[in-house]
Structures are given as C-alpha cells and as structure tokens.
Amino acid sequence: MYLFNTLKRCKEEFVPIDENNVRMYVCGPTVYDRAHLGNAKTPVVFDVLYRVLCNKYGKNHVTYVSNITDVDDKILNKHKETGKSIREITEQTYQWYVDDMAKLNVLAPNYRPRATEYINEMIELVELLLKERHAYEAQGHVLFDVDSMPNYGFLSGRSMKEMIAGARIEVADYKKNPADFVLWKPSDADQPGWNSPWGYGRPGWHLECSAMSSKLLGNSFDIHGGGSDLIFPHHENECAQSLCAHPGEKFANYWVHGGMLMVDGVKMSKSLGNFYTIDQVLEKAPAEALRLLFLTTHYHQPFNFTFEGLEAAKQTLDKFYNALLRVKDMACDSSSADERIVNALEDDINTPLALSYIHELVNTLNKAESDVDKAKAKTTLLKSAELLGILWQNPEEWFKGSVGDEAQEIEKLIAQRAEAKKNKDYALADKIRNDLKEKGIILEDSPQGTTWKKI
RNA sequence: GGCCGGUUGGCAGAGUGGCUCAUGCAGAGGACUGCAAAUCCUUGUACAUCGGUUCAAUUCCGGUACCGGCCUCCA
C-alpha cells in the first residue's frame, strides 16, 4: 500500500507501526455552523482510506479518530451574534454534522472526541512544554517558543525567515518571536474557560489535536490527515507541540492532505456567493451522488464542484443501480472485491481509476447471462463498491424513493397500458406513458413486463 | 514577495519512456423494441508552450505562459 506523504513530498510505501493496530487521526470540524462542501469532502476521502485499511488489516485492527472542535473563538462569535448559548450551538451543530456524515455513508470513526472533554490532557501537555522550556508564560498567555525547536517548519517546508517575510503573523508585544503561537489564553469571566495553573482560560486550537491524538492513539501513530489548508500553521504547530513534549517519539509517520474544494473554478467563499452547505446541496441531489462526485477526482488534486458534475454523478448512479435492479432477486455468491480496485485504492487512494473498473464491472453484470455469472458479477460489484462506500442502497428504493399511494395508482395505469398494447391500441399506450412521464415517472418495457422509475 | 501544486480529446478525469486500448458523459452509426426507455456492439477526437536528455517523450530535466492553493481563521 502506498500513500503520498506530505513529510517527504512523495508517494511512499505505507508500513504501519503495528499491523494489529493501525492508527489514523483526521482533523474534524469546528462546530459553529452547518458543515459546508469542503467539510464534507475530507471525511469522505478519509472514509475511503479507513475502509481500505480495514479491508487490508482487518476491521478490529484499525483505530480511526476524528475530533470535534467545540471550543473556539468562532463559536464565541456565533454566541455573540445569535444570543444562543455555547452549549446549544455546539450540540446542534454537532448533530447536523453527524447527520450529514451518515447521509454521505461515512462510517463512524472509532472515536469522535470533543475538545472540551480533554482539557486536563491539554493542561498536562502545556505543563510538559513549560517544563522542557519549549513554552513560556506572558500576560496570562502560554506561548510556544518556536526558537526552542531548531527544525520548526519542517512539515510545511518553510523557514523562519520566510515566515517573518510573510509579515502577516499576528504581532503581539508579549511574544518573544512573532511566530510563537498560543497554547493557552485567558478568558473573561463571561467566556468559556477552565481553571488552570495560568488562571482561568481556554486552549489554543492547535493544542487540542496534539492532546487528543496522544491520549487516544499514543505519542507515535501512523496517519494524520486533513485538508491541505491545515498544513500550516495547524499541523506544523501540532508537530512542534507533540514532538517537543515527547522527545524521541515520531508523532505521525504519514501526513496525508486532501486538495481544496472549489466551486466553479474558484475558492468557495461567502463573499463570492458560491458557498454551499451540505444540506443545501442535498436538496438538489441524493447524498450518494455527492459522495460519488467527490471520488471522481484524485483526493490530492484540487476538487472543482459544479452542479453539472453533481447531476452527472446522479446519472452515473442511475446506470449502476439499473444494473443492480435487474438482478435484485439474485443472491450473492462468495466472490470478493475486484483485485484491480483494491490495488487502485491501495495505491494512494486512486478513486478515479477504481471507478473506471466499477464501470467495467457494471458492464460485465449487464452482459451476464447465466445465473452463476450474474451472481458472481453482482457480488464482485457490490463488494468492490463497498470499499468506495457507494451502491449501498436498495436499487428499487433508489429509483422509486419512498412512495406510498402513488405506487398503486402507477401500477393501475401500467395494467391499463398493457391491455391497450395487447389490443394494439398504441395511441392509448403512448398517452399513458407520456402522461406519467410528465409526472416524472418513466416506464420501461421488457420481455418480463413493464417497470417504472422516478426521475 | 516567498513556498507548493496543476495544464491530457467537446466536457469530466486516470495513466504511461516505445505497444491495439484508460474510463465516463456528450457526438456519430448499428442491434433489440409496435415506438420508446434501459441495455449491448462499433466509432472519431488528446497530451499548454519552447528547449534539452534519449534510438524513442504526453510521460524525465530546464525555461516560458496561464491557472489554482498556502503564507491570517479554514476541511
């Protein structure tokens, strides 16, 4: 298995520290508002990686952690804007997020830790850094001393000189070096906070992931993931904290970063009016279409979202489910996933290549004649699709949705049309078909009779 | 300004130092069908640009142009 490792800036063979417990940590969202498309892409990509790891090492030999940041100034701002309590905001947003993930068929990670439940671990980590002289106190803050770490910047590949040249680092008079970042900061009495050796305050963002990953996965683990925008400063600072607090440990061996999501070729932003939340997009297309769409581009590339692409993904799924609909009553045999698909996914999660083989498997299924061949083709397709997290739905439900009384009415019209066809009254038969088409119901004749679908 | 990444056919999007060939959508033709739909078969079109290395480059190296990302919160 191979992964593109940001540390080495190249693809390298993945060798876990412990094959019996492969450990992965992926940065999750800050819960202050509905998750947007970018917040959806990253978990979908790492969900595929999780599935591939489970397939290779066994489900019980993989530990996957994805955190929830529930203490942050953005949440504080939301509280000021809306007047809603912090707790109300984070609980509601968390629930929305979990629901969105479920719709996208993202498997639940083994742990979904919340920052506020690991404050003690964070305080311990700060104490360790102070003791090792990698941090210092100033005006109620505790700051990480970047000058205490000679190779600070090794992950993102930038030198201290460059960072200062950037000159957009927040300058504060209490910082020894402008690049020093906050580990702990003071809170006002009306702000969320916890008592600490440095007074009432709250943790800096970077600290959370270092503390939670250490607690749940250990001081050295295999994969750390996230969007490429997190490389600097977030992941760089996590490295600084964790490596300085635990000398001799490796923190994460493989850093895996997904390309940014864009909309119509440019960065998604509220000011450009091309900002979409997951639930907004799911009003226009099934969640599975969005999931498939994310997988049509290699995760490492920037991903360009368009509604045309979303519609195309939906049509692709129609094609796939059409094939499955024909063999809906066929039992699966003992076939396993297509080896080419496993190989493609184990080669740095090459989902576009894997999908091209899915198309081939669908074609094979459509052409299969004997029951034995059909069962084999169906099983291979479903087992392969499971690695990608697609085709999990019942094909009839995919096309018909949750229809109630409507179905009986349609069946009645189909019977009428069959009668008309028998009498060679094609005008009436075509009228029934066209009337239904206007209501979004498509009829398909076959030697076995007529079936219908919703479009 | 600094640091990264990209540029493949009408569109989306893999991949490869030479071979017949990604794949999908769209287009063209055909089979099946009362007609459709679905499905199947056949088919055209490509590697930004200029140099270099090589027997051979879309693929490796370098320059140029263009596009995007990061450098501040961000998945």
Side-chain angles (χ1 to χ4, degrees), chain A residues 17 23 214 217-222 246 248-253:
Chain A
I17 296 167
R23 290 158 285 168
S214 283
L217 296 176
N219 295 329
S220 297
F221 55 93
D222 299 298
H246 309 291
E249 296 280 357
K250 303 296 274 289
F251 195 32
N253 281 332

Side-chain angles (χ1 to χ4, degrees), chain A residues 11 27 38 45 48 50 75 107 115 126 153 234 279 301 308-309 442:
Chain A
K11 196 154 80 174
C27 291
V45 164
V48 174
Y50 178 49
I75 301 168
L107 299 171
V126 175
H234 186 52
D279 69 308
Q301 298 285 114
E308 291 76 33
I442 300 271

Side-chain angles (χ1 to χ4, degrees), chain A residues 8 42-43 64 70 72 165 204 208 250 270 315 349 377 418 455:
Chain A
K8 309 273 177 66
T42 300
Y64 176 25
D70 62 352
D72 185 272
E208 302 171 9
K250 303 296 274 289
K270 284 178 182 168
Q315 281 175 16
I349 329 175
I455 49 163

Side-chain angles (χ1 to χ4, degrees), chain A residues 39 66 122 192 217 231 256:
Chain A
N39 289 318
S66 186
M122 294 180 209
L217 296 176
I231 296 172
V256 179

Side-chain angles (χ1 to χ4, degrees), chain A residues 11 22 35 37 62 113 186 225 249-250 285 291 313 341 361 407 435 445:
Chain A
K11 196 154 80 174
V22 180
L37 286 177
V62 181
E249 296 280 357
K250 303 296 274 289
R291 179 173 177 115
I341 292 178
L361 295 178
D435 286 352
D445 296 336

